[in-house]
Amino acid sequence: MRSFPLGTSLSPTPINTSKISPFNIHFKKSPTFPSSASTSPHEFSFSQSGICRASQVADLFPTVSPEIIVREARLEDCWEVAETHCSSFFPEYSFPLDFVLRMDRLVAMLAGFTLPNGCKRSCLVAVIGNSLTETFLFGSDDFKVGGFDGKFSLNKGYVAGILTVDTVADFLPRKGPLRQKRTGIAYISNVAVREKFRRKGIAKLLVAKAESQARSWSCRAIALHCDFKNPAATKLYQGQGFRSIKVPEGANWPQPKTSPDIKFNFMMKLLNN
């Protein structure tokens, strides 16, 4: 399903193997994949064709054995998160519209730090080329901006996928005659994986981490919206234990705000705490 900015709602999410729903979102440096192996001076020389052999080795490394870490997004990830979101949901946009859209997402993420009392929100990122055992962090554990961890790292890695999970319940069915928001149910949105990293299990890792986060919030269930026209995403979530919930006839359940012709499948999974 799709989704949108950190403080807003818009639409569901693509992952090629996943789409979810919208609202909070949640930057683009070129990926660097340092190699720990030592190299002789000759490996850094230029060949007769003028191509640096060290560059060739670095280009191959990501496809050999990239390490994927799922963690909470930090402020330093902001631009890559916006970039991943926009390139996944709006791949047809070109300059200057694509740049304007990325700036809009970035501002929305940093500005949407207010949450209703008692609600929680977290932006998760799947990072490639980063090891938890080799990370040097600076900052306070208590400082957060709009679902982003306020800490900074010296070797942060490259953001390949994103996901937002919260307990705001804007897109969950209301309860009672007063249509009150439900509690105890986490909601997944903004699931997106960069095109070149798809079909590597990154979406599954993000969803599993979101479930773990929801359990830590004492949620009894977790839910999402998935585009009916994305059977691959539906299959992915069903494989993770999500089940489709039929909307009662005549019921007016909240849905992601996007194109009126897009139909969504509401899915939910009970969590074992």
Side-chain angles (χ1 to χ4, degrees):
M1 358 209 87
R2 290 189 183 176
S3 300
F4 286 60
L6 244 182
T8 341
S9 331
L10 276 172
S11 73
T13 319
I15 285 185
N16 229 47
T17 73
S18 75
K19 282 185 177 182
I20 306 191
S21 115
F23 45 43
N24 19 10
I25 216 220
H26 323 297
F27 306 80
K28 173 169 171 132
K29 289 184 181 175
S30 359
T32 55
F33 301 93
S35 172
S36 58
S38 59
T39 346
S40 68
H42 299 291
E43 291 182 78
F44 291 93
S45 64
F46 286 87
S47 64
Q48 293 180 349
S49 62
I51 300 176
C52 179
R53 292 172 184 167
S55 301
Q56 293 175 318
V57 173
D59 288 339
L60 288 174
F61 178 74
T63 61
V64 176
S65 58
E67 183 176 10
I68 301 172
I69 301 295
V70 177
R71 58 166 171 79
E72 285 194 69
R74 297 193 283 262
L75 287 177
E76 61 188 353
D77 300 317
C78 280
W79 180 255
E80 287 186 66
V81 171
E83 164 66 23
T84 302
H85 176 81
C86 295
S87 63
S88 297
F89 292 118
F90 310 103
E92 71 283 1
Y93 281 41
S94 58
F95 187 83
L97 288 179
D98 60 342
F99 179 75
V100 173
L101 183 62
R102 283 157 175 72
M103 291 302 299
D104 175 72
R105 296 304 97 184
L106 184 61
V107 171
M109 284 185 286
L110 297 178
F113 55 83
T114 56
L115 283 171
N117 289 336
C119 293
K120 298 180 182 294
R121 174 181 294 149
S122 180
C123 175
L124 304 177
V125 292
V127 177
I128 288 185
N130 169 252
S131 172
L132 288 178
T133 59
E134 299 174 359
T135 298
F136 300 92
L137 296 175
F138 298 90
S140 168
D141 290 333
D142 300 325
F143 177 63
K144 286 201 171 190
V145 176
F148 285 81
D149 195 322
K151 291 179 288 189
F152 289 83
S153 168
L154 293 181
N155 61 330
K156 66 183 214 57
Y158 179 72
V159 174
I162 60 174
L163 175 152
T164 302
V165 58
D166 63 43
T167 59
V168 179
D170 278 340
F171 298 97
L172 296 178
R174 302 293 193 264
K175 63 177 182 179
L178 299 180
R179 294 181 58 78
Q180 296 174 309
K181 287 188 178 181
R182 295 181 182 272
T183 58
I185 303 177
Y187 184 81
I188 290 177
S189 63
N190 297 312
V191 180
V193 175
R194 289 179 185 263
E195 186 174 6
K196 65 180 179 180
F197 294 113
R198 292 171 185 169
R199 298 180 181 85
K200 299 181 184 297
I202 292 179
K204 290 182 179 180
L205 293 175
L206 286 165
V207 172
K209 183 69 172 180
E211 292 178 16
S212 176
Q213 185 72 282
R215 289 189 183 94
S216 72
W217 294 338
S218 300
C219 292
R220 64 181 183 278
I222 191 166
L224 56 85
H225 280 93
C226 185
D227 191 338
F228 267 122
K229 295 181 180 178
N230 190 349
T234 301
K235 184 177 180 180
L236 166 73
Y237 298 128
Q238 288 176 339
Q240 295 291 95
F242 285 82
R243 295 295 176 262
S244 299
I245 306 297
K246 185 177 180 180
V247 180
E249 188 175 349
N252 182 22
W253 287 9
Q255 287 197 4
K257 298 173 183 177
T258 181
S259 304
D261 58 330
I262 296 182
K263 304 297 181 184
F264 294 105
N265 183 18
F266 182 66
M267 307 181 75
M268 183 178 287
K269 176 181 178 178
L270 296 179
L271 299 175
N272 297 321
N273 290 318

